[in-house]
């Protein structure tokens, strides 16, 4: 069996699997494949795309190996080939988020990722999602909005706000979405004390009317006795904004179990859930 690896041209990608094609952007994505030259057929493929807002980071999508070609190190070799080409083009870091339906399947790509120098940066993410048509009738959301009207939860109008610039000096590299303005100011909310941001809840929406709650970040200046109270309030304010905008689905990412998260309890039983692990590679 003779295998060759290649970066595909835009007019060659039409026969790739639908999940890969769905993420294909001709200007921001590169498709790679492994080809069995004996049969003149592709046997593995993957997609690398530029990470929004970060010029030298690329995200890995849809690493797929056909069943008949698995356990032959083809996926590993294809990933190595793609990474080397991306590095030669200026990429300095890579991000891959593996999403599964059960915790037991989380480490399915571990051997490939580790072999290429990836490290697990977030090991246990629990992703829950809600159909927003159900959330519109959630009385907890209305009660929280009414009771917290006087708490300084605000929306900022632009990314150049002096309070945001001060916040960015305090955040760590894992919060790249915050550092690089990869979130929507329209639906994100900030807990402030005068000219200082004490906490931020970030939300990102897409063209398919889906919203992702990216998480809540508290600064060291936020009083410890306020965190437990502010956490669900910030989330509810974001959810209320998303509902008002007509989004149809809401995704929330939680570290570990949902049992310890009072915020999710306010929204009731989710319509579904997934588990995820995040892999990072720096050159």
């Amino acid at each position: 069996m003779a295998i060759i690896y290649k970066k595909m041209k835009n007019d060659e990608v039409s026969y790739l699997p639908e999940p890969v094609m769905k993420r294909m952007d001709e200007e921001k994505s590169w498709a790679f494949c492994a080809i069995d030259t004996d049969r003149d057929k592709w046997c593995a493929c993957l997609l690398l795309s530029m990470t929004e807002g970060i010029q030298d980071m690329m995200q890995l999508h849809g690493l797929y190996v056909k069943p008949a070609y698995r356990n032959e190190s083809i996926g590993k070799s294809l990933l190595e080939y793609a990474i080397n080409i991306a590095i030669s083009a200026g990429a300095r870091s890579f991000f891959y988020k593996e999403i599964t339906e059960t915790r037991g399947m989380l480490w399915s790509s571990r051997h490939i990722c580790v072999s290429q120098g990836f490290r697990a940066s977030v090991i246990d993410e629990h992703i829950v999602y809600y159909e927003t048509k159900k959330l519109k009738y959630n009385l907890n959301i209305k009660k929280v909005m009414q009771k917290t009207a006087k708490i300084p939860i605000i929306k900022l109008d632009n990314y150049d706000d002096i309070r945001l610039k001060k916040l960015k000096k305090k955040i760590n590299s894992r919060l790249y979405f915050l550092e690089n303005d990869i979130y929507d100011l329209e639906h994100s909310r900030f807990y402030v004390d005068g000219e200082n941001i004490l906490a931020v809840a970030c939300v990102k929406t897409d063209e398919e009317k889906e919203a992702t709650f990216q998480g809540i970040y508290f600064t060291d200046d936020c009083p410890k006795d306020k965190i437990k109270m502010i956490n669900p309030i910030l989330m509810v304010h974001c959810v209320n904004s998303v509902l008002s905008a007509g989004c149809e689905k809401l995704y929330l990412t939680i570290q570990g179990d949902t049992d310890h998260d009072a915020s999710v309890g306010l929204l009731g039983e989710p319509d579904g859930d997934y588990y995820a692990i995040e892999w990072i590679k720096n050159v």
Side-chain angles (χ1 to χ4, degrees):
M1 179 171 61
I3 305 293
I4 63 171
Y5 304 94
K6 64 178 291 187
K7 179 175 178 290
M8 305 174 72
K9 299 177 182 178
N10 290 338
D11 59 357
E12 296 178 318
V13 301
S14 59
Y15 57 85
L16 292 180
E18 186 176 345
V20 177
M21 285 296 300
K22 188 177 180 180
R23 293 185 175 273
M24 184 68 186
D25 182 319
E26 292 186 0
E27 295 183 1
K28 299 179 180 179
S29 303
W30 296 349
F32 297 85
C33 72
I35 297 175
D36 181 347
T37 57
D38 294 339
R39 300 182 180 181
D40 195 27
K41 292 182 178 180
W42 70 274
C43 54
C45 66
L46 66 81
L47 192 68
L48 286 178
S49 63
M50 299 176 189
T51 302
E52 183 182 354
I54 308 178
Q55 291 185 349
D56 59 359
M57 176 182 276
M58 299 202 78
Q59 184 168 358
L60 170 64
H61 301 288
L63 174 57
Y64 176 77
V65 180
K66 287 183 175 180
Y69 293 87
R70 292 173 186 171
N71 300 316
E72 300 287 344
S73 295
I74 293 174
K76 172 184 171 182
S77 298
L78 178 61
L79 179 57
E80 181 178 8
Y81 173 82
I83 286 175
N84 287 337
I85 289 183
I87 290 174
S88 66
R92 289 295 173 264
S93 57
F94 299 85
F95 171 75
Y96 175 46
K97 187 169 187 173
E98 181 180 7
I99 300 175
T100 69
E101 294 182 352
T102 66
R103 273 200 176 98
M105 296 172 61
L106 270 186
W107 294 88
S108 62
S109 62
R110 181 180 183 276
H111 66 290
I112 293 180
C113 289
V114 172
S115 72
Q116 295 306 313
F118 283 78
R119 60 178 177 80
S121 62
V122 178
I123 295 177
D124 189 14
E125 281 188 345
H126 190 184
I127 303 170
V128 297
Y129 72 86
Y130 295 85
E131 301 285 349
T132 55
K133 59 185 178 183
K134 182 173 70 175
L135 291 179
K136 290 178 181 178
Y137 303 100
N138 187 305
L139 295 178
N140 287 331
I141 295 176
K142 295 179 181 179
K143 289 179 181 178
V144 171
M145 292 299 296
Q146 291 170 352
K147 290 182 178 180
T148 62
K150 294 183 179 181
I151 293 179
I153 304 291
I154 67 170
K155 180 180 80 169
L156 297 182
D157 295 325
N158 63 78
Y159 294 107
D160 293 324
D161 190 293
I162 189 67
R163 290 167 292 186
L164 261 182
K165 291 182 178 180
K166 289 168 65 176
L167 175 67
K168 287 182 179 181
K169 294 179 180 179
K170 302 177 182 179
I171 63 180
N172 61 55
S173 59
R174 276 186 55 191
L175 296 167
Y176 69 89
F177 60 85
L178 184 57
E179 186 176 8
N180 295 277
D181 301 333
I182 311 175
Y183 61 96
D184 299 336
L185 281 178
E186 179 65 27
H187 304 300
S188 299
R189 292 295 183 268
F190 300 81
Y191 173 53
V192 298
D193 178 17
E195 293 301 307
N196 295 311
I197 294 173
L198 300 183
V200 53
C202 293
V203 175
K204 179 70 175 172
T205 56
D206 61 25
E207 295 177 356
E208 297 180 354
K209 292 188 175 182
E210 295 184 352
T212 300
F213 186 78
Q214 295 165 296
I216 298 176
Y217 171 75
F218 291 89
T219 70
D220 292 335
D221 300 324
C222 186
K224 300 296 186 245
D225 60 341
K226 296 279 189 182
I227 292 178
K228 189 173 183 180
M229 175 189 74
I230 295 299
N231 192 77
I233 294 173
L234 270 173
M235 187 208 68
V236 168
H237 276 251
C238 291
V239 171
N240 187 65
S241 177
V242 164
L243 293 177
S244 300
C247 286
E248 297 174 357
K249 248 181 192 179
L250 171 66
Y251 292 86
L252 292 94
T253 299
I254 304 125
Q255 300 299 317
D257 279 324
T258 57
D259 296 342
H260 74 277
D261 199 300
S263 306
V264 173
L266 283 170
L267 301 184
E269 190 70 23
D271 291 293
D273 63 351
Y274 302 98
Y275 295 89
I277 185 170
E278 295 183 4
W279 298 92
I280 294 285
K281 173 183 172 69
N282 294 315
V283 178

